[in-house]
Amino acid sequence: MVRQPSVAAQNRPPLTRERIIEAALHIVDGQGLGRLTMRRLGDALQVEAMAIYHHMPRGKEELLDGLVSHVAVFPARPPAGEDWRRALREWATAYRARLTAHSGVLPLVVTRRNPAALSDTAASLREILRRAGLPEGAAADGAHALLGYVIGQTALELRGPSPGEPPTDWDARFTAGLELILTGLSSRARRP
Amino acid sequence: MVRQPSVAAQNRPPLTRERIIEAALHIVDGQGLGRLTMRRLGDALQVEAMAIYHHMPRGKEELLDGLVSHVAVFPARPPAGEDWRRALREWATAYRARLTAHSGVLPLVVTRRNPAALSDTAASLREILRRAGLPEGAAADGAHALLGYVIGQTALELRGPSPGEPPTDWDARFTAGLELILTGLSSRARRP
DNA sequence: ACCCGTGCCTTTACGCAGTAAGGTGCAGTC
DNA sequence: GACTGCACCTTACTGCGTAAAGGCACGGGT
């Protein structure tokens, strides 16, 4: 009989960075960021907590950075035709959906100094605006305005409803605010 | 000799909610959110950590909520004349300045379910837009768009510079994005 | 056949966090 | 002068992140 390596003998796939991050995301989505601890994460992976450090030497810092990258890296796809507004609307809607799907990670996205995670996304937006006819600087500013708006508005939404106020249609509100920015961008584009 | 109460005998003003929050804010501003602990806060107030719980029964939760209220409540002043755009610009600039002055608290503003802290601010913006001639719903949407933008953009700024990219003039970028939204709002106001 | 790294995981232990529970001393009231 | 309540302290518990060291199976050189 062929002897399996000890890890496989415990009926458990070997640890990977990817598996660790997925398990962490599962905990955060299901129980909240506050319940993500190294020990619990170890339990979820059927491993002692310290085993994680072999794959992530920087420990929890590295884990949280990994979560941010996993959720926040989300570049926009360039428009098929001329309709750059449509492309931006689609990106914004999808990005908001992703952030709300992993709402526990949003504080990390906002907080952590992990610029690389957002710079890809910002670059894709900038490129779309540049091709729409905005000057270089205006395109970069517009890209960050969009990114800031989507993140900020989603954060406001996830803070929960103010008691004593009429319930809000956050979908409609998000779209309305987005159109404000798109209107402003249109007035600065080559083809307004 | 008149015997002073023990508290005064230690040359220390009595504990108050206000003094506690101010000391906490001082720690966060000076050393970062991560270094705000109940024990350190107690030291700063020359008091044992557990004394704080007498004034804040919900402990650290209540303390953090207090910090958010202290920083994030910042209603806009209505315009002196007709120039609502100017009033909004002034509010946005001042609010951003306040957030960057207490950058350690921003993660809490974004994260914590403390809706009351922002609803006053949002209401003041909504009122300005309503008087500028926007319909009720559009005014509320616009107010949240502004709030979301300012918070989101400021959060992006405080994440720090992406290495390998040209240094950003965040003041100019903030203003540029703000003008995008103001342009969009103007096209929907009674007096565009 | 033996040895010895190397990779992956476990064991143990330390310091610091938040806070529950109960104690202490003073001020004011009756 | 006993009683009551406020403000603060003492002690102790659980859980956290992680440094340090140990074990253990594999693979390859000799």
Side-chain angles (χ1 to χ4, degrees):
Chain A
M1 177 189 178
V2 182
R3 184 86 149 90
Q4 291 299 107
S6 71
V7 168
Q10 301 176 232
N11 284 339
R12 154 165 65 77
L15 229 46
T16 350
R17 247 190 89 93
E18 187 136 351
R19 280 194 62 234
I20 294 172
I21 289 179
E22 275 164 16
L25 193 58
H26 190 255
I27 291 177
V28 173
D29 289 346
Q31 312 184 238
L33 184 59
R35 292 192 61 90
L36 174 63
T37 70
M38 299 304 268
R39 294 179 222 262
R40 246 191 287 268
L41 183 54
D43 284 355
L45 294 161
Q46 304 185 67
V47 141
E48 292 303 312
M50 287 309 289
I52 298 167
Y53 288 80
H54 193 81
H55 302 266
M56 298 185 155
R58 280 181 33 249
K60 199 167 188 185
E61 295 284 305
E62 188 169 351
L63 175 65
L64 298 182
D65 283 344
L67 283 179
V68 171
S69 295
H70 198 271
V71 169
V73 175
F74 195 89
R77 302 193 331 186
E82 298 275 304
D83 198 350
W84 55 272
R85 267 164 290 227
R86 186 177 141 96
L88 292 177
R89 268 190 280 259
E90 281 173 1
W91 168 82
T93 305
Y95 199 40
R96 168 168 171 263
R98 191 193 188 93
L99 290 178
T100 52
H102 305 293
S103 61
V105 184
L106 200 137
L108 302 176
V109 175
V110 173
T111 296
R112 305 222 116 230
R113 297 194 210 286
N114 188 359
L118 288 184
S119 62
D120 276 9
T121 309
S124 71
L125 297 173
R126 200 182 60 227
E127 180 60 16
I128 289 179
L129 290 175
R130 213 186 50 75
R131 288 200 209 165
L134 270 76
E136 195 69 42
D141 293 347
H144 272 79
L146 281 165
L147 197 52
Y149 168 74
V150 172
I151 290 178
Q153 184 81 344
T154 306
L156 287 185
E157 173 183 351
L158 294 176
R159 284 170 53 96
S162 309
E165 294 195 4
T168 311
D169 181 346
W170 284 103
D171 280 21
R173 173 158 291 176
F174 178 80
T175 305
L178 180 62
E179 293 303 325
L180 288 180
I181 298 182
L182 290 180
T183 301
L185 287 171
S186 296
S187 74
R188 286 151 177 86
R190 193 191 319 118
R191 301 181 281 284
Chain B
M1 177 189 179
V2 181
R3 184 90 151 86
Q4 291 299 106
S6 71
V7 168
Q10 301 176 233
N11 284 338
R12 153 166 67 75
L15 229 46
T16 9
R17 247 190 88 94
E18 187 135 351
R19 279 194 64 235
I20 294 172
I21 290 179
E22 274 165 17
L25 191 59
H26 190 254
I27 291 177
V28 172
D29 288 346
Q31 313 184 237
L33 184 58
R35 292 191 62 89
L36 175 63
T37 71
M38 299 304 269
R39 292 179 223 262
R40 246 190 287 269
L41 182 54
D43 284 356
L45 293 161
Q46 304 185 68
V47 142
E48 292 303 312
M50 289 307 289
I52 299 167
Y53 287 80
H54 192 79
H55 302 266
M56 299 186 155
R58 281 181 31 250
K60 198 165 188 185
E61 295 283 305
E62 189 169 350
L63 175 65
L64 298 182
D65 283 344
L67 283 180
V68 170
S69 296
H70 197 271
V71 170
V73 175
F74 195 88
R77 302 194 329 187
E82 298 275 302
D83 198 351
W84 54 272
R85 266 164 290 227
R86 186 177 140 96
L88 291 178
R89 267 189 281 260
E90 280 172 2
W91 168 82
T93 304
Y95 199 40
R96 168 168 172 263
R98 191 195 189 90
L99 290 178
T100 52
H102 305 292
S103 61
V105 184
L106 200 139
L108 302 176
V109 175
V110 173
T111 297
R112 305 221 116 231
R113 297 193 210 287
N114 189 358
L118 289 184
S119 62
D120 277 8
T121 309
S124 70
L125 297 173
R126 198 181 62 227
E127 180 60 15
I128 290 179
L129 290 175
R130 213 185 51 73
R131 288 199 209 164
L134 269 78
E136 195 69 43
D141 292 348
H144 272 81
L146 280 165
L147 198 52
Y149 169 74
V150 172
I151 291 177
Q153 185 79 345
T154 307
L156 287 185
E157 172 182 350
L158 294 176
R159 283 171 53 95
S162 310
E165 294 194 4
T168 311
D169 181 347
W170 284 103
D171 280 21
R173 172 159 291 174
F174 178 81
T175 305
L178 181 63
E179 293 302 325
L180 288 179
I181 297 182
L182 290 180
T183 301
L185 287 171
S186 296
S187 74
R188 286 152 177 85
R190 194 192 316 118
R191 302 181 280 285

